[in-house]
Amino acid sequence: MSRPNRMERPYDIVLFGATGFVGALTAEYLAAHAPDGLRWALAGRSPERLESLRERLAGIGKAAEVGVLAADVSDPASLRELAGHTRVLATTVGPYLTYGEELVAACADAGTDYLDLSGEPEFVDLMYVRHDARARETGARLVHAAGFDSVPHDLGAYFTVAQLPEGVPLTVDGFVHADAMFSGGTFASALNQFSRGPRMLAAARDRRRHEPRLLGRRATAPSGAPRYAKEVDAWALPLPTIDPQVVVRSARALERYGPDFRYRHYAAVRRLPFAVGGVAAVGAVFAAAQVPPARRWLSGRLRPGDGPSAERRAKSSFSVRFVGEGGGQRVFTEVAGGDPGYDETAKMFAESALSLAFDDLPATAGQVTTAVAMGDALIDRLRKAGITFRVAATR
Ligand SMILES: NC(=O)c1ccc[n+]([C@@H]2O[C@H](COP(=O)([O-])OP(=O)(O)OC[C@H]3O[C@@H](n4cnc5c(N)ncnc54)[C@H](OP(=O)(O)O)[C@@H]3O)[C@@H](O)[C@H]2O)c1
């Protein structure tokens, strides 16, 4: 790997999509928490909107020192220029399947660390097949899903494994509970995903063909079945998000997960009628997403840039409880925080960017998960920023 000398670049962190819903929250977080000497810039397609964001940030911390860069995903040269100007490029410009690839390619070529909020498995698999090898050559770390998808689940499983004995088969079950609303951007990404089932499966197959085989170890994420989980006193519904895939990728990369690791991912619902209602609602949106006119109607319900108000977000929260077992031990752990989709996502995303830029991390390159790229350093940062990682009990 030949890592270009990135210290000579003008910026440590560039935030692309800064004028969007999560982008602006991330900019506010960075403005309030920027370490002394952070060289950072807001990037987006509208210089006017970027300037007015910079003015809005002016009262917060050291925001006056933030730069402004114009770039548009329809202009690949502008993306290459962005990638060449910074050590870490954090992008909230989604849906990533629609807008994301050129920037991943630019970062892989320039040896620039790349961070996104993609919960889109097809996009992540395509980027692995097309850009992982080049990123390994240049030393770029390509980190997807650095928000609520999938940081609490990936780092929570990593934290749970660390409480269990080494060198033995381990199982971890994650139970997610979230009370929150979503934004226009997230809704658009979810609808896009729901309409692409066969292409998503094809991308996953292609990835498996390219991935090196795991020798002498196993890491799997079977989907499990709906059940009453007495260990967490809730109904557990299998949750087919990108999270279990990310957890398994961390388990494949890190020996600490043991010779035979299994992860199952569930939504935890206290009352059965809510469980049935939730499955029905997701099923209805999934069915509608298959029919173009219905999909268009749905996507008009929540516009890009819209999202829950500060008051609504202040009432939102999440917890992910984990039950880990192995070597005769059982451990209960929890990762918890406030509004998962936006306030805490902005925090996780900004802290990941700061971690890639400044922490003393293991040497990695190519497509890597948050646990593999940042692991303990990111847990440490998130704890200091108010997200709980705790061991609830060991038996
Ligand atoms: N992983 C997670 O847990 C998580 C949580 C929340 C969101 N997300 C994902 O994050 C993404 C952003 O969500 P959001 O709610 O912030 O969406 P949003 O408000 O619609 O923001 C999208 C951003 O993309 C920019 N953009 C669109 N087209 C562009 C182009 N041609 N060139 C440059 N920039 C362009 C927009 O710029 P303008 O401001 O100029 O329109 C805006 O800044 C979505 O994909 C969503 O699914 C993930």
Side-chain angles (χ1 to χ4, degrees), residues 53-88:
L53 174 64
R54 176 154 69 173
E55 277 166 28
R56 220 176 72 218
L57 296 178
I60 309 176
K62 308 169 189 78
E65 295 160 30
V66 66
V68 160
L69 301 169
D72 196 302
V73 293
S74 59
D75 174 8
S78 71
L79 302 182
R80 294 197 172 263
E81 207 173 319
L82 269 196
H85 269 69
T86 185
R87 297 166 53 220
V88 177

Side-chain angles (χ1 to χ4, degrees), residues 196-261:
R196 300 177 63 92
R199 280 172 284 193
M200 191 165 85
L201 294 176
R205 274 195 304 274
D206 200 23
R207 179 191 187 112
R208 280 196 295 277
R209 274 196 295 273
H210 284 78
E211 255 174 351
R213 290 177 71 95
L214 199 53
L215 293 175
R217 294 174 60 229
R218 263 163 56 89
T220 55
S223 75
R227 64 186 171 97
Y228 183 75
K230 62 179 184 316
E231 60 274 33
V232 292
D233 190 19
W235 289 91
L237 307 174
L239 197 55
T241 54
I242 195 171
D243 306 311
Q245 301 175 19
V246 173
V247 170
V248 160
R249 266 163 224 154
S250 297
R252 286 174 57 94
L254 300 173
E255 293 272 344
R256 182 61 182 87
Y257 286 66
D260 190 357
F261 176 81

Side-chain angles (χ1 to χ4, degrees), residues 26 29 342-352 382 385-387:
T26 307
Y29 185 91
Y342 303 99
D343 291 339
E344 300 296 45
T345 282
K347 182 187 286 178
M348 293 172 206
F349 195 49
E351 291 292 352
S352 298
L382 295 178
I387 293 183

Side-chain angles (χ1 to χ4, degrees), residues 16-24 43-46 49 71-75 79 91-96 99 116-120 145-151 182-190 242 303-307 340-342 345-346 348:
F16 186 41
T19 51
F21 192 78
V22 194
R45 60 180 164 176
S46 159
R49 284 218 289 280
D72 196 302
V73 293
S74 59
D75 174 8
L79 302 182
T91 172
T92 66
V93 178
Y96 293 91
Y99 297 131
D116 73 24
L117 289 174
S118 173
E120 301 163 42
F148 184 63
D149 287 332
S150 295
V151 170
F182 43 78
S183 70
T186 300
F187 194 52
S189 295
I242 195 171
R303 312 296 314 173
D306 289 347
Y342 303 99
T345 282
M348 293 172 206

Side-chain angles (χ1 to χ4, degrees), residues 118-138:
S118 173
E120 301 163 42
E122 183 186 348
F123 175 73
V124 175
D125 290 342
L126 289 173
M127 295 308 97
Y128 175 81
V129 171
R130 296 178 187 163
H131 304 293
D132 171 77
R134 179 66 180 140
R136 284 174 193 274
E137 282 169 17
T138 64

Side-chain angles (χ1 to χ4, degrees), residues 154-204:
D154 189 24
L155 292 186
Y158 172 90
F159 177 76
T160 307
V161 164
Q163 318 305 321
L164 290 166
E166 288 188 49
V168 295
L170 301 177
T171 64
V172 176
D173 287 347
F175 300 90
V176 186
H177 176 77
D179 166 19
M181 286 178 69
F182 43 78
S183 70
T186 300
F187 194 52
S189 295
L191 275 181
N192 206 22
Q193 277 299 291
F194 283 171
S195 65
R196 300 177 63 92
R199 280 172 284 193
M200 191 165 85
L201 294 176

